[in-house]
Amino acid sequence: MNGNPFVDYLDQFNVLSPNHSKIYDEYSYDKGEKSYTFKIETKVEDYLINILKKSGQSFILTGNAGDGKTRLCRSIFNYFSSEDLKNWPNSGIREVSTEHGTLRIVKDLSELKEDKIFEELLRLQEYIMNDHKDRVYYLIAANEGKLTKFLSQKSELSHLKEQVKLRFKDSINNNNVFNIINLIDVTSSIYVEKVLEEWNKEKNWVPCNSCPKINTCIINLNHKKTSKIDVKNRLVEQYRLLDFLSTHITMREMLIHISYILTGGYKCTDIINGNYNELKLQINKPYYQNFYGHEIEHEAFSEMRALKLFRELDPGSNSNSNIDDFILNGDISGNEILEEYHLNLFNNDLDLYLGYFKKRLEIYRDHNKESNDKLIEEWISKLRRKFYFEFPQEDLFNRKSLIPFQYFEEYSLLFESGLKQAQVKKDLINGLNRAFSKRLVLANSPLYATSENLMIHSSYSANQVKLIEDKNREDVDHIPSKFSLIVNDNNVLPMDLHVFEYLKRLSSGDTHNILREDVEILLDTFKNEIIKTSKPDQYILNVLRADKDRGLYVQDEIEIFD
């Protein structure tokens, strides 16, 4: 029994496997008759091809290692070439003809020697300055930090330095001569659904149907579970949370993570040849445990950045009394609907030890103290994760209360809704007033540019406070994920879910311990900028005064006499 070759393909993304591949510009697997390849459709590839078909322009691609810069260079070359690129030359540079001239492709600027980097960038600068009169254009993949550092060290490249600086500041400064496309601007969650759908296609898993170990195979169980639309959407939802937190996951990190979600680091041979003790280890790797890196080897955890990020969002770490009660007592609740849901969710599946959990639950109810402690300690966090991804009804329990962001759903509903943005603005102003003054300021007040000594330097009505959402992009796969809060048209506060959650909690009088230090530094800087640009009345001193009857601080005026 040789197992499923598709699982061998997934093993390429296992960072502890000897088959691990460092570069994924092909996403392919080829071992004789066993082969697999797929392509993730990206907007940036279509954008580059369409532009280069219509006209000649130069591009620099930037982004983190693993964002797919090399793959894009290969794809663009293959599109315009009569033969596919098998291997890059030692120089790392290839040229290809287009209808508008010659496209010179540099697959990784950082791999070149410094004198060669200087030569190529100087040529690019000359082409930009003379509007590509020689009909030679560049496509360069580069690390942003190394590119900007190199440009700052070479006075001969001052023009290119300024052009690059402008485009990094805002993509709107791109033009029909020279463009910078920063792949860090790609919204990570867009590709997660595509990969899950592609990897979970039934044709990839046909060999599993004839395997005698299919009923005790954690890999196959993970495939079946993550193929369900609700589970898939909730996996994407977790990635969307990272978008809202201004966290970018590279294509490479995402592929490693999703592969691990499915396999838990195992191959078919591990399942087929596994004995009883090995099976006990394997069934600890259902997808919802793998997603957050539970039961993972320490070495792998250190290399899988996605796991570190998702640990902060782990629904298993947060208690909700109604959900916990359902997990432990839902099958004896007396509610037929809940009992049926409990039966379907906590059954005899492999991840529940083929019915062992149900027996442990019965022992727990017999009030055996030793078993009580062990059941809660060993199972409750795991079952919260299972509940979070698999409970089918959104209206019976507040599933999202298991993640540490209370206002995640409200934040997600703000996008493309001017009405909701207008409604939430008063809460944000209230939160800012309380953040600036460190006092409980009266709700529905104007925004006060106030210092901690309670002096109001200026105040702004709700009409002077604007909430502007991030824009869609034509060049990259980008979904709006954050806002800019703008005061008086010139003071800008970047607002992602961290900042939104912090201000909403302050406004409601709740605790505000979501990355408190980082957010407070950002808000203090914003406050100081507003104070710096404010123009206090020279004859009236405005202050916040404690109103003892209401237990809040309110605005008061003190006239200043000469």
Side-chain angles (χ1 to χ4, degrees):
M1 181 73 191
N2 295 320
N4 186 344
F6 180 70
V7 176
D8 292 336
Y9 161 78
L10 293 178
D11 191 53
Q12 288 187 119
F13 304 101
N14 177 3
V15 293
L16 294 184
S17 169
N19 298 322
H20 176 54
S21 174
K22 294 288 185 184
I23 299 176
Y24 310 121
D25 66 336
E26 290 285 1
Y27 310 129
S28 63
Y29 176 81
D30 190 354
K31 285 193 177 179
E33 295 180 0
K34 301 175 181 179
S35 63
Y36 176 80
T37 185
F38 86 104
K39 181 179 180 181
I40 301 174
E41 299 293 335
T42 62
K43 182 184 282 189
V44 64
E45 183 176 334
D46 293 340
Y47 176 81
L48 285 168
I49 289 171
N50 289 333
I51 291 289
L52 291 168
K53 281 166 60 179
K54 293 175 184 176
S55 64
Q57 296 182 30
S58 286
F59 294 87
I60 292 181
L61 297 173
T62 65
N64 295 332
D67 267 322
K69 300 185 295 295
T70 302
R71 184 191 67 82
L72 277 168
C73 288
R74 180 188 294 272
S75 296
I76 299 304
F77 180 92
N78 289 345
Y79 182 86
F80 290 103
S81 173
S82 58
E83 294 183 7
D84 284 354
L85 177 64
K86 300 299 181 184
N87 295 296
W88 289 95
N90 292 334
S91 66
I93 301 173
R94 285 294 303 265
E95 291 186 348
V96 65
S97 296
T98 72
E99 293 180 21
H100 304 280
T102 300
L103 181 66
R104 188 169 173 84
I105 302 176
V106 181
K107 84 171 180 80
D108 190 343
L109 196 72
S110 63
E111 291 181 355
L112 306 183
K113 292 181 179 179
E114 289 214 354
D115 59 338
K116 189 62 175 173
I117 294 175
F118 179 73
E119 177 187 332
E120 298 297 334
L121 292 181
L122 190 61
R123 287 179 67 183
L124 171 62
Q125 178 176 261
E126 290 171 359
Y127 295 151
I128 292 171
M129 293 177 72
N130 66 27
D131 200 14
H132 296 94
K133 71 176 183 180
D134 296 328
R135 293 172 51 115
V136 178
Y137 311 93
Y138 267 99
L139 173 63
I140 299 175
N143 173 276
E144 177 182 345
K146 184 157 186 175
L147 174 65
T148 53
K149 181 180 179 181
F150 190 89
L151 290 173
S152 67
Q153 293 172 342
K154 305 292 182 181
S155 59
E156 300 93 330
L157 297 171
S158 59
H159 178 78
L160 182 60
K161 173 188 170 183
E162 290 306 312
Q163 296 301 308
V164 167
K165 184 178 177 181
L166 274 174
R167 286 154 178 79
F168 274 134
K169 185 177 181 181
D170 196 323
S171 63
I172 198 172
N173 294 316
N174 283 330
N175 58 29
N176 60 5
V177 176
F178 173 51
N179 297 259
I180 285 184
I181 297 177
N182 193 343
L183 297 179
I184 292 176
D185 295 333
V186 167
T187 304
S188 305
S189 62
I190 289 176
Y191 301 138
V192 178
E193 184 172 7
K194 294 179 180 180
V195 175
L196 283 169
E197 288 180 349
E198 177 66 32
W199 284 359
N200 276 324
K201 284 181 177 177
E202 283 305 315
K203 67 179 182 180
N204 299 327
W205 301 88
V206 169
C208 297
N209 296 333
S210 58
C211 178
K213 293 290 189 79
I214 188 171
N215 293 324
T216 53
C217 176
I218 195 66
I219 301 172
N220 195 264
L221 176 79
N222 290 337
H223 151 61
K224 289 177 178 176
K225 292 289 188 180
T226 58
S227 297
K228 295 182 177 180
I229 189 164
D230 283 348
V231 173
K232 180 192 70 176
N233 289 342
R234 292 171 188 182
L235 293 169
V236 174
E237 176 185 87
Q238 285 279 286
Y239 267 87
R240 187 68 178 132
L241 254 172
L242 290 189
D243 298 338
F244 290 156
L245 297 171
S246 301
T247 302
H248 174 71
I249 293 287
T250 69
M251 190 78 77
R252 179 186 301 172
E253 290 166 337
M254 181 195 66
L255 293 172
I256 291 172
H257 185 224
I258 297 177
S259 170
Y260 183 74
I261 290 170
L262 291 171
T263 69
Y266 291 116
K267 296 191 297 181
C268 290
T269 51
D270 299 314
I271 306 298
I272 294 167
N273 301 326
N275 57 30
Y276 175 74
N277 289 327
E278 288 164 338
L279 174 61
K280 285 200 298 184
L281 295 175
Q282 292 166 11
I283 60 181
N284 286 324
K285 296 286 188 78
Y287 72 93
Y288 51 83
Q289 294 288 91
N290 300 341
F291 193 94
Y292 303 99
H294 296 284
E295 314 291 338
I296 196 173
E297 297 84 350
H298 179 71
E299 311 93 275
F301 194 90
S302 65
E303 292 193 39
M304 295 170 71
R305 176 171 166 266
L307 296 180
K308 300 175 187 177
L309 298 169
F310 283 117
R311 275 292 179 96
E312 297 180 15
L313 308 176
D314 187 352
S317 303
N318 301 287
S319 175
N320 176 294
S321 57
N322 290 332
I323 292 173
D324 286 354
D325 182 60
F326 169 78
I327 290 171
L328 297 174
N329 303 303
D331 56 333
I332 56 172
S333 65
N335 183 317
E336 290 184 8
I337 295 175
L338 290 183
E339 288 179 358
E340 183 177 354
Y341 280 136
H342 193 280
L343 178 65
N344 293 333
L345 191 60
F346 303 116
N347 48 30
N348 298 326
D349 273 348
L350 181 62
D351 59 319
L352 297 170
Y353 290 25
L354 300 171
Y356 178 63
F357 166 70
K358 294 181 74 172
K359 294 178 182 177
R360 288 290 303 274
L361 189 59
E362 291 172 7
I363 296 172
Y364 165 77
R365 291 182 185 135
D366 289 338
H367 304 291
N368 181 310
K369 186 176 189 309
E370 182 181 349
S371 296
N372 289 354
D373 295 341
K374 274 192 148 187
L375 182 98
I376 298 298
E377 181 183 339
E378 293 176 9
W379 285 90
I380 194 67
S381 295
K382 175 180 177 179
L383 298 179
R384 286 175 189 149
R385 295 179 196 108
K386 183 176 176 67
F387 177 94
Y388 179 85
F389 286 107
E390 296 182 19
F391 191 79
Q393 285 294 106
E394 293 280 15
D395 56 344
L396 292 178
F397 294 98
N398 184 9
R399 174 182 61 87
K400 292 175 183 173
S401 67
L402 292 175
I403 57 176
F405 289 90
Q406 298 174 10
Y407 296 98
F408 158 56
E409 190 161 14
E410 182 177 357
Y411 183 81
S412 66
L413 293 174
L414 291 179
F415 294 92
E416 297 184 3
S417 175
L419 175 61
K420 287 185 169 58
Q421 292 173 22
Q423 291 170 339
V424 80
K425 196 160 60 171
K426 64 180 181 181
D427 292 336
L428 298 177
I429 291 173
N430 191 38
L432 285 169
N433 280 334
R434 293 179 176 185
F436 289 173
S437 65
K438 305 296 189 281
R439 304 290 196 280
L440 284 176
V441 178
L442 181 67
N444 298 322
S445 299
L447 175 63
Y448 298 129
T450 178
S451 54
E452 291 185 36
N453 62 14
L454 305 186
M455 175 183 171
I456 299 174
H457 294 260
S458 58
S459 62
Y460 303 92
S461 68
N463 290 334
Q464 293 173 285
V465 179
K466 298 176 182 176
L467 197 59
I468 308 297
E469 76 176 66
D470 199 8
K471 300 298 182 186
N472 278 307
R473 295 273 295 275
E474 291 184 3
D475 53 347
V476 295
D477 289 297
H478 179 84
I479 305 173
S481 305
K482 56 189 176 183
F483 294 85
S484 295
L485 192 146
I486 304 174
V487 175
N488 205 28
D489 293 329
N490 58 2
N491 300 113
V492 181
L493 172 69
M495 189 180 76
D496 61 8
L497 179 58
H498 277 132
V499 177
F500 182 79
E501 177 88 11
Y502 185 91
L503 294 177
K504 283 286 292 185
R505 289 194 183 196
L506 272 182
S507 178
S508 66
D510 199 353
T511 56
H512 49 277
N513 56 355
I514 299 294
L515 283 184
R516 175 175 179 173
E517 184 176 341
D518 291 351
V519 174
E520 286 191 348
I521 291 171
L522 182 65
L523 293 179
D524 282 344
T525 302
F526 182 56
K527 175 185 72 175
N528 292 334
E529 288 174 354
I530 296 176
I531 290 175
K532 192 185 301 183
T533 58
S534 64
K535 297 178 181 179
D537 192 311
Q538 59 180 320
Y539 299 110
I540 297 176
L541 180 64
N542 287 283
V543 296
L544 288 173
R545 171 181 58 83
D547 187 321
K548 295 182 180 179
D549 294 333
R550 287 184 279 188
L552 296 166
Y553 281 76
V554 298
Q555 180 186 13
D556 206 351
E557 293 183 356
I558 300 173
E559 292 186 3
I560 301 174
F561 299 98
D562 290 334

